Amino acid sequence: MQLNHDTRCALDQAVGLLNTVADGDRGDSLASVADLAEFVERHSLSDVGPLTAEDLEAVRTVRERFAQVFEAEDARSAARLINALVAEAGTTPQLTDHDGYDWHVHYFAPGSSVAQHLAADGGMALAFVLVSGERDRLRRCSAPDCRRAFVDLSRNRSRRYCDSRTCGNRLHVAAYRARQRGSAGATARS
């Protein structure tokens, strides 16, 4: 799947936002305005002014809406959710070059809130994935104790885990140990 730099960044931001939600023993990493400021910094969101508690609540609402897109039953349902998200964000495509980046498109209007910024750019990136017939690449980790979101950009659409070094490796090691225990038990019974 070919994605331009801007779309990839917007997808990374959307997935990053989804993965701030509490999961298992991991608490919500978007619990305060300071957490939101850290998220904005980590994801290099541009044109974001001072953040408030209202921004935090609005971004948490966008996070829930992105989750609904990832969990939509079919493309039509996902499209309906994306259309509403983008429309409510007041999408205003504009060419811009800033911070050393060449010309690219921002979908949020100048002066937009951080939630509108995320909804517009993330919503459009999700729309591009849907339009390209690749909605099945929007996934949740297959590890039973992890529900982190990711976009499967592998050539053959085979990625199953949010991170192969953690979730994938942990499950492979557990399966290997279970097989070892099984063969050790079979040898002991012989």
Side-chain angles (χ1 to χ4, degrees), residues 1 5 8-9 12 14 18 24 28 42 44 46-47 58 63 82 93 96 102 107 117 145 148 150 164 166 171 173 181:
M1 179 176 180
H5 175 75
R8 178 65 191 262
C9 288
D12 288 346
L18 278 169
D28 189 329
R42 185 172 55 254
S44 303
S46 61
D47 297 327
R63 177 177 71 181
I82 292 168
T96 184
D102 204 1
Y107 292 97
H117 176 142
D145 59 341
R148 292 178 66 86
F150 67 94
S164 61
T166 54
L171 287 177
V173 167
R181 282 191 303 272

Side-chain angles (χ1 to χ4, degrees), residues 2 31 38 69:
Q2 295 271 339
E38 183 181 315
V69 171

Side-chain angles (χ1 to χ4, degrees), residues 98-170:
H98 62 86
D99 300 328
Y101 294 104
D102 204 1
W103 289 104
H104 59 283
V105 179
H106 281 183
Y107 292 97
F108 59 93
S112 293
S113 71
V114 66
Q116 290 168 322
H117 176 142
L118 287 164
D121 278 359
M124 289 304 298
L126 292 168
F128 292 139
V129 170
L130 187 97
V131 165
S132 66
E134 305 283 355
R135 188 180 79 85
D136 62 331
R137 291 182 182 267
L138 304 177
R139 301 202 175 149
R140 294 288 186 164
C141 185
S142 291
D145 59 341
C146 180
R147 294 294 302 146
R148 292 178 66 86
F150 67 94
V151 179
D152 179 5
L153 297 177
S154 67
R155 188 172 287 189
N156 63 357
R157 301 175 186 205
S158 62
R159 187 171 163 199
R160 296 178 43 217
Y161 305 107
C162 63
D163 185 344
S164 61
R165 288 174 294 196
T166 54
C167 290
N169 194 36
R170 184 170 34 91

